[in-house]
Amino acid sequence: MAINLGGVALGVGIILLAVMRWIMKEKKRLGALVPFVLALLYGMLAALAALGSLSALGAVTWLLLWAGNVAGYAGLVWGIGGNAPDVTRSHNLVLTDGGYVIVFLLTLVLIGLLKWGPKQSKAKIVLGCVAGILIALSGNVAGVAAVPLGSGVNFAGQGFTGVFG
C-alpha cells in the first residue's frame, strides 16, 4: 500500500501534539515521553516488516495506514486545499526469521502493556503506533529508519535463534 503526503502529515502531526503535551502538560519529564517513543518505533517496525504480508499484524497495519491516509488526504486536500502526492519508499525491509521472532515478541509486549499497563499511557502507546505506521513508509523516513530498526531486530533475532534454535 502506498502512503500519501496527507497520511505522513497526520503522522507528523501526532508526533507534534505528543511533544507539545510533553512540554506543556508533562513538564518535560523524560519518563512521560518513553511510552510514546517506544510505541512510535514499534509502529515504524510493524509497518516496515509486516505491511503487505498475509498476517494479523499486516492486516492491522494496513487498516491503520489506510485510515490515516484517508484522514490525512481529507485534511490536506479538502480541508486546506493542497495536494497529497504519493511519497512511498521503493524498497521493502527484509527481516530474517529471528527478526520476525523479535517483532512477534514485541507485539506480545505491546498487547500486554495495553491490557495491563497504566491507564494514562494507553493512549500514548496507540497514538505512537499509529504515528509510526504513518511515517514509516515515506521515502526519507524509511531510508533512515529501516537500516537501524531492521538491522537491530535482525541482530537481536540472530541472538535469539542462537540461544533457542
Side-chain angles (χ1 to χ4, degrees), residues 130-146:
V130 171
I133 289 168
L134 291 175
I135 67 169
L137 296 181
S138 66
N140 290 336
V141 173
V144 172

Side-chain angles (χ1 to χ4, degrees), residues 19 31 35 51 68 75 88 122 146 150:
V19 169
L51 194 67
T88 309
K122 290 181 183 181

Side-chain angles (χ1 to χ4, degrees), residues 5-6 73 76-77 80-85:
L5 190 58
Y73 181 89
L76 195 58
V77 174
I80 306 297
N83 294 314

Side-chain angles (χ1 to χ4, degrees), residues 51-124:
L51 194 67
S53 67
L54 293 174
S55 64
L57 182 60
V60 169
T61 304
W62 181 89
L63 182 64
L64 290 172
L65 182 63
W66 174 81
N69 256 345
V70 170
Y73 181 89
L76 195 58
V77 174
W78 299 332
I80 306 297
N83 294 314
D86 180 21
V87 293
T88 309
R89 66 177 167 65
S90 59
H91 296 50
N92 288 332
L93 175 68
V94 178
L95 290 182
T96 62
D97 291 337
Y100 280 110
V101 168
I102 300 302
V103 172
F104 174 72
L105 295 174
L106 290 173
T107 303
L108 293 177
V109 168
L110 182 77
I111 291 168
L113 284 172
L114 288 173
K115 181 145 178 77
W116 301 303
K119 193 171 202 160
Q120 66 270 19
S121 66
K122 290 181 183 181
K124 290 179 188 180

Side-chain angles (χ1 to χ4, degrees), residues 33-55:
L33 195 58
V34 170
F36 180 82
V37 172
L38 293 177
L40 178 74
L41 293 173
Y42 174 80
M44 292 172 72
L45 182 62
L48 292 169
L51 194 67
S53 67
L54 293 174
S55 64

Side-chain angles (χ1 to χ4, degrees), residues 15-35:
I15 294 170
L16 289 174
L17 290 174
V19 169
M20 286 175 60
R21 177 185 170 92
W22 179 66
I23 291 170
M24 295 178 185
K25 189 170 182 181
E26 296 169 341
K27 307 298 181 203
K28 298 181 186 176
R29 289 181 303 112
L30 192 58
L33 195 58
V34 170

